[in-house]
Amino acid sequence: MSQYSETRFETLEVEWREDRVVVELHRPEARNAINAEMIAELHQVCARIEAAPKPLLLTGHGTVFAGGADISELRERGREEALAGINSRLFERLHRLQAPTVAAVDGFALGGGAELSYACDIRIATPTAVFAQPEPGLGIIAGAGACWRLKELVGTSVAKQVLIGGFKLDAEAALRHGLVAEIVPSETLRERAHGLIDRMAASSAMALRMTKMVLDADGVHPLADDLTQAVLFESADKHDRMTRFLERKKR
């Protein structure tokens, strides 16, 4: 048995196969919200894939991909945490993995959850998938890649509609704008995602690696995200908005 298969995570379910890694975001009590512990565990997964590159399938537990970042943690973060790029550095690391990555999205992919899916190479979705960036309503920007990755994926106009106008992209809109490759029934989502990875596995691993390297050669540095977020994380408005959000959840 691989040493990796023996590792237990608190926020992830991870399956280490010979030809791929399957990661399920697993915080059912919080709609798979991304917290610091999940970020740390995803860094461990990335480190292992970097050491032995193989395709990654990323999905969420149940009928939600990820309901955003953990607001209770975000509310307490300040300038230093923003400059550290806690989420953005992980998503950039995921994006830079040498082997292909596939996000299988069922249900909500909100805030940081949407940004996590944007960091993957290809996304497939179910009819209930919804991508949205509610961060400005909480007094911050979508600071883990959406402000530049989403524009690259769907174009400036649609990105502004989502990031500034507060529009949501349902599955049909996401397909129309090229954010997802296809829409499949929820019950066959993982099967279709594995089928996509099977198709990749039939190609030369080195050719796919080099193709991805060339495609991603002119990526945008996330420094601007971190600097902007550092200013907003220190604002009273951000703290007040997140407090109101958490109080509404308790009702």
Side-chain angles (χ1 to χ4, degrees):
M1 178 180 292
S2 163
Q3 61 172 315
Y4 298 151
S5 64
E6 298 174 354
T7 302
R8 295 191 60 83
F9 296 101
E10 296 298 321
T11 70
L12 307 173
E13 295 288 343
V14 182
E15 182 182 356
W16 303 94
R17 299 190 183 183
E18 287 298 319
D19 64 345
R20 71 199 61 183
V21 180
V22 183
V23 174
E24 177 187 280
L25 309 179
H26 195 272
R27 294 189 69 214
E29 75 286 355
R31 297 199 305 173
N32 303 330
I34 300 168
N35 63 357
E37 185 173 24
M38 183 181 288
I39 292 291
E41 292 183 349
L42 285 169
H43 271 297
Q44 292 183 54
V45 172
C46 285
R48 293 170 182 177
I49 296 176
E50 288 164 353
K54 60 183 66 178
L56 168 66
L57 170 56
L58 183 64
T59 190
H61 176 76
T63 57
V64 61
F65 181 73
D70 192 304
I71 304 301
S72 61
E73 287 189 358
L74 276 183
R75 182 178 59 171
E76 304 310 314
R77 291 181 186 174
R79 181 192 308 113
E80 294 304 317
E81 288 79 11
L83 290 173
I86 294 172
N87 289 12
S88 66
R89 293 300 184 269
L90 181 274
F91 297 170
E92 181 66 10
R93 186 177 190 178
L94 171 66
H95 181 71
R96 295 294 177 186
L97 290 176
Q98 295 175 3
T101 55
V102 175
V105 179
D106 190 13
F108 287 115
L110 306 179
E115 292 178 299
L116 177 59
S117 77
Y118 304 158
C120 292
D121 295 315
I122 299 175
R123 288 150 295 283
I124 62 175
T126 69
T128 62
V130 177
F131 300 85
Q133 304 294 160
E135 287 90 344
L138 295 169
I140 58 175
I141 66 167
C147 287
W148 46 279
R149 251 191 210 114
L150 188 58
K151 181 173 68 173
E152 294 176 352
L153 292 168
V154 302
T156 300
S157 178
V158 175
K160 285 186 175 182
Q161 291 169 41
V162 174
L163 291 160
I164 298 175
F167 285 83
K168 299 178 175 66
L169 295 178
D170 61 17
E172 290 294 338
L175 180 65
R176 187 167 64 251
H177 295 298
L179 182 60
V180 302
E182 60 179 344
I183 301 172
V184 302
S186 179
E187 59 270 21
T188 63
L189 177 64
R190 296 198 187 195
E191 178 184 348
R192 293 295 288 271
H194 280 294
L196 174 56
I197 293 179
D198 289 341
R199 194 157 67 243
M200 294 173 178
S203 297
S204 159
M206 181 58 70
L208 289 180
R209 174 182 174 183
M210 299 305 290
T211 299
K212 182 173 176 177
M213 183 184 302
V214 172
L215 280 168
D216 293 339
D218 294 327
V220 180
H221 197 286
L223 177 61
D225 287 354
D226 298 340
L227 290 173
T228 305
Q229 201 74 294
V231 174
L232 292 170
F233 268 15
E234 293 291 321
S235 71
D237 182 56
K238 165 255 189 179
H239 190 275
D240 291 344
R241 286 173 179 272
M242 292 190 176
T243 297
R244 290 196 296 271
F245 173 87
L246 292 170
E247 288 175 348
R248 285 197 301 272
K249 285 187 65 176
K250 293 177 183 178
R251 294 173 189 168

